[in-house]
Amino acid sequence: MPAPRPIANRNSSQASQENPISGEVRTDLKAAAVIATERVLRDTLKKLDAVVNTAIDAIITMNERGIIESVNPAVTNIFGYKPNELIGQNISVLMPDPYRQEHDGYLARYLQTGERRIIGIGREVTGRRRDGSTVPLDLSVCELDLDDHRLFTGFMRDITRRKEAELQLRRLNQTLNERVKERTALLKLMHDVAVRVNQPVSIDELLREVLCRICEEFGWDVGHVYRLDEDRGQLIPTDLWHLRAGKDYTAFQAKTEKAYFPFEGRGLLREVARHGRAKAVTDLRQSTTYRRDPGATTGLRSAMAFPLVAQARCPAVLEFFCERPRKTGRRFLTVASDVGMQLGRLVERKQLQQEYLQAVEEARRLMARELHDGVGGALTGLGMFARGLHQELAKAESVLAGQAKELAEGLTEVHQQLRRVSAGLIAEDINPQDFMTAVASLAQRTARRSATSVEVIGPRTIEPPTALAATHLYCITQEAVSNAVRHGRPSRIRISIETDAHGIIVMIHDNGRGISADIADGIGTGAGLRNMQYRAQVIGASLSVKPSNQGGTIVQCVLKKSPIK
């Protein structure tokens, strides 16, 4: 048998010719592979289409010119467009101004420079819906290089809910921070008021500080104080105000100063005063209990008030207003009521102090009368006896006549000293109707004795509320004039007395050497200055002594007609 040739030396055509069945099998295998590959590709495309079409993110493909070539159905949910409305449109249709006009430039710059700002990086952007509204988006872009061109695919997720959650979280954090800040400020206010109550401060001064602190630190535009007139059963406006800078509240202030409220009845102030606890009105325009003239509340929308409580009484109410509606929390109202109780302790202390001073003044009066009537009468009798004894001894030419004379003269001198002491303990009573006449007489006497020009400026008649007040105001004026003449050596003294709706103001201004600021700040250490301060405290007045800018000294005493008490 001839040897067979190796298979490697046979070509395929030869093999096919020699074995036609084998070639057919190979062709069938290739066709089957192609069919299988096509099936896999179709399945893959179906899966890919299913993923793209069911994705919640918008998937948009565009070419190098920014023209949209394909979109998935999610664009309808996010942007409001139907898919066929976007194909062929420029991608900028989904962008708000000013990005719409700038997008083509961004794309051209990337194609020229290759500098990536979004592609492959991703960022948060703002999209534009079909109705013109905007939507926050998470955007990521990928680039696909094909043989003859490039495609860009953008994946966009609507992050509206996430942004709302972030905004809500920021608001909650802001609210929490504001509450912590407000609580801290309230606690500090309570501490500061408690400290100030135990310091030498007047009620009006501390009330003004509290008005300012609450307005400035807690966002109230207007603060004011009403006082209770128990005799008339009315809440009466005072001159204690704090007004937000840069705003005109003249009309509201003028109407408030004329607004007197009966203690009984409905309304914010009356309910706060009657029940002794803080209360707030969120919107005055919707309140049916706030009875103030609506014209006075122009621009003011919300209100809050708390009482000053002293010995289970409410001698004053602090009220606050804001131009916007605001809800005042329960914690704020509780702390405000506590601040009112702290202020009440100052009122109680001032009342006890004034009662003590009045008791001291009454004791001085009794002592002065006892010295004048009792001891003075005894000294008068002894003096008469000594003078009579001297006369008898002189007639008898006794050697004891000289001693009797010295005894009589000594008793007379002691009596005069006693009268001066008793006169210093108690001043001569001044009737309220004679107050201005007494001051005019003081000015004339001083001018004659000291060669100093003394001028009285004021109406003919100003009547202090009581004889006690008239007497002490006169004595303060007398002491201030006497101090000026003795220590200042002025050429001119001006006594100015005026009255307004809130009280009487007495001012003594001289052009002498003046008083040092450190002595004025402490009301001084001299007996005259201390005596003036004492007399002011007895009648519940405020006293200030300060150097004048024009030279000399200014002494001012302010007596409120109806102080908070």
Side-chain angles (χ1 to χ4, degrees):
M1 294 179 63
R5 289 180 294 183
I7 296 175
N9 294 332
R10 299 175 186 175
N11 56 40
S12 60
S13 60
Q14 291 175 336
S16 298
Q17 292 173 0
E18 293 175 1
N19 190 355
I21 296 176
S22 175
E24 291 176 2
V25 170
R26 290 181 179 178
T27 301
D28 291 342
L29 289 174
K30 288 183 179 179
V34 170
I35 292 172
T37 301
E38 289 177 349
R39 184 182 300 112
V40 170
L41 286 175
R42 283 196 300 271
D43 291 343
T44 302
L45 287 175
K46 286 181 180 180
K47 292 178 182 179
L48 181 60
D49 286 342
V51 170
V52 171
N53 291 330
T54 58
I56 62 172
D57 296 345
I59 302 174
I60 300 176
T61 303
M62 68 177 187
N63 60 23
E64 296 173 338
R65 293 181 295 111
I67 303 302
I68 297 173
E69 293 190 354
S70 67
V71 299
N72 71 333
V75 296
T76 302
N77 297 329
I78 296 177
F79 294 101
Y81 287 98
K82 294 179 180 179
N84 59 359
E85 292 179 308
L86 290 176
I87 295 174
Q89 297 268 16
N90 192 291
I91 191 67
S92 62
V93 73
L94 301 178
M95 300 178 183
D97 295 330
Y99 310 108
R100 176 182 299 201
Q101 292 81 10
E102 299 172 355
H103 176 263
D104 289 344
Y106 296 154
L107 186 59
R109 181 166 56 250
Y110 169 70
L111 294 174
Q112 292 175 0
T113 64
E115 179 185 356
R116 296 187 173 190
R117 296 190 177 182
I118 295 182
I119 297 174
I121 299 173
R123 67 170 58 174
E124 291 184 4
V125 298
T126 301
R128 181 180 181 275
R129 294 190 179 97
R130 194 175 191 275
D131 60 5
S133 61
T134 58
V135 54
L137 301 169
D138 255 343
L139 171 65
S140 59
V141 179
C142 64
E143 180 181 6
L144 178 63
D145 280 320
L146 301 178
D147 293 337
D148 56 348
H149 66 286
R150 282 186 287 187
L151 292 178
F152 299 94
T153 302
F155 300 85
M156 303 173 209
R157 172 166 294 182
D158 185 348
I159 56 174
T160 300
R161 290 186 178 180
R162 190 177 83 191
K163 287 297 182 181
E164 290 175 349
E166 290 175 356
L167 178 60
Q168 185 177 6
L169 181 61
R170 285 197 300 271
R171 288 175 176 172
L172 289 174
N173 286 333
Q174 182 180 359
T175 301
L176 178 61
N177 291 333
E178 289 175 353
R179 288 180 178 177
V180 171
K181 182 180 178 182
E182 180 182 275
R183 184 176 182 182
T184 303
L186 284 170
L187 292 175
K188 188 175 186 305
L189 176 63
M190 286 184 61
H191 172 268
D192 293 346
V193 170
V195 171
R196 290 290 281 156
V197 162
N198 295 306
Q199 294 176 345
V201 60
S202 70
I203 297 172
D204 286 2
E205 182 181 353
L206 185 54
L207 286 173
R208 284 193 172 93
E209 291 179 13
V210 172
L211 289 177
C212 178
R213 288 280 298 275
I214 291 180
C215 287
E216 297 295 333
E217 296 180 15
F218 302 102
W220 293 94
D221 299 312
V222 177
H224 176 246
V225 177
Y226 265 83
R227 67 171 182 83
L228 175 62
D229 187 332
E230 292 181 307
D231 295 333
R232 291 190 285 180
Q234 286 185 325
L235 289 164
I236 298 176
T238 69
D239 60 345
L240 302 177
W241 287 89
H242 182 82
L243 304 174
R244 181 183 176 188
K247 292 286 186 176
D248 184 11
Y249 298 106
T250 305
F252 175 73
Q253 194 172 7
K255 287 187 176 291
T256 298
E257 291 176 349
K258 298 178 181 178
Y260 291 65
F261 297 104
F263 184 72
E264 299 295 334
R266 300 183 67 190
L268 179 63
L269 292 176
R270 285 168 281 194
E271 292 178 4
V272 168
R274 195 163 55 250
H275 299 301
R277 59 177 179 267
K279 188 174 181 180
V281 179
T282 302
D283 194 339
L284 295 173
R285 297 182 184 177
Q286 299 178 4
S287 172
T288 59
T289 61
Y290 193 79
R291 300 296 184 183
R292 183 169 299 176
D293 186 341
T297 58
T298 303
L300 298 176
R301 296 293 300 274
S302 55
M304 184 273 294
F306 66 88
L308 188 157
V309 180
Q311 297 178 342
R313 297 168 46 251
C314 177
V317 176
L318 288 77
E319 60 175 358
F320 299 87
F321 298 90
C322 187
E323 292 186 353
R324 59 180 174 82
R326 59 180 291 176
K327 186 176 181 179
T328 305
R330 182 179 301 175
R331 184 182 300 277
F332 186 95
L333 295 177
T334 300
V335 175
S337 296
D338 292 340
V339 170
M341 294 183 68
Q342 293 280 3
L343 293 171
R345 292 190 177 94
L346 177 60
V347 174
E348 293 170 357
R349 183 164 63 85
K350 292 293 184 181
Q351 289 174 345
L352 291 174
Q353 183 182 34
Q354 191 165 357
E355 290 173 2
Y356 168 76
L357 291 172
Q358 289 175 351
V360 170
E361 182 68 13
E362 185 61 27
R364 290 176 60 165
R365 286 175 175 271
L366 292 174
M367 185 183 297
R369 289 196 185 97
E370 182 63 27
L371 289 174
H372 182 273
D373 299 340
V375 180
L379 287 173
T380 300
L382 288 173
M384 292 175 64
F385 175 77
R387 286 192 296 274
L389 178 61
H390 168 255
Q391 292 174 359
E392 293 295 329
L393 291 175
K395 289 179 182 180
E397 297 182 354
S398 172
V399 294
L400 298 176
Q403 294 178 354
K405 181 180 179 181
E406 290 179 0
L407 177 61
E409 291 175 350
L411 288 171
T412 301
E413 183 178 351
V414 169
H415 192 194
Q416 290 175 348
Q417 290 177 354
L418 180 65
R419 291 178 64 182
R420 285 195 294 270
V421 170
S422 62
L425 288 173
I426 182 171
E428 182 181 356
D429 287 343
I430 303 293
N431 290 325
Q433 300 87 344
D434 301 329
F435 173 69
M436 291 300 293
T437 302
V439 172
S441 299
L442 170 65
Q444 293 172 2
R445 289 196 307 272
T446 304
R448 286 197 306 268
R449 295 173 183 175
S450 64
T452 302
S453 172
V454 183
E455 179 185 13
V456 179
I457 301 174
R460 282 189 171 185
T461 303
I462 290 182
E463 296 185 12
T466 64
L468 181 66
T471 299
H472 284 292
L473 281 178
Y474 172 80
C475 291
I476 290 171
T477 305
Q478 183 182 44
E479 190 68 48
V481 171
S482 176
N483 285 343
V485 172
R486 286 200 309 268
H487 306 296
R489 298 179 182 178
S491 61
R492 186 180 69 255
I493 298 175
R494 184 173 68 249
I495 304 172
S496 172
I497 304 175
E498 60 184 35
T499 183
D500 58 19
H502 303 290
I504 298 174
I505 303 172
V506 179
M507 183 183 297
I508 301 93
H509 183 190
D510 69 76
N511 65 346
R513 292 184 298 183
I515 188 172
S516 62
D518 55 344
I519 294 177
D521 290 340
I523 305 297
T525 57
L529 293 175
R530 290 201 307 271
N531 190 37
M532 286 192 293
Q533 179 67 26
Y534 164 76
R535 293 187 180 279
Q537 290 177 344
V538 168
I539 58 176
S542 61
L543 180 76
S544 65
V545 181
K546 59 184 179 181
S548 171
N549 294 332
Q550 291 79 29
T553 303
I554 297 176
V555 177
Q556 178 174 286
C557 183
V558 180
L559 174 66
K560 292 290 184 73
K561 281 187 176 180
S562 300
I564 296 173
K565 57 184 180 180

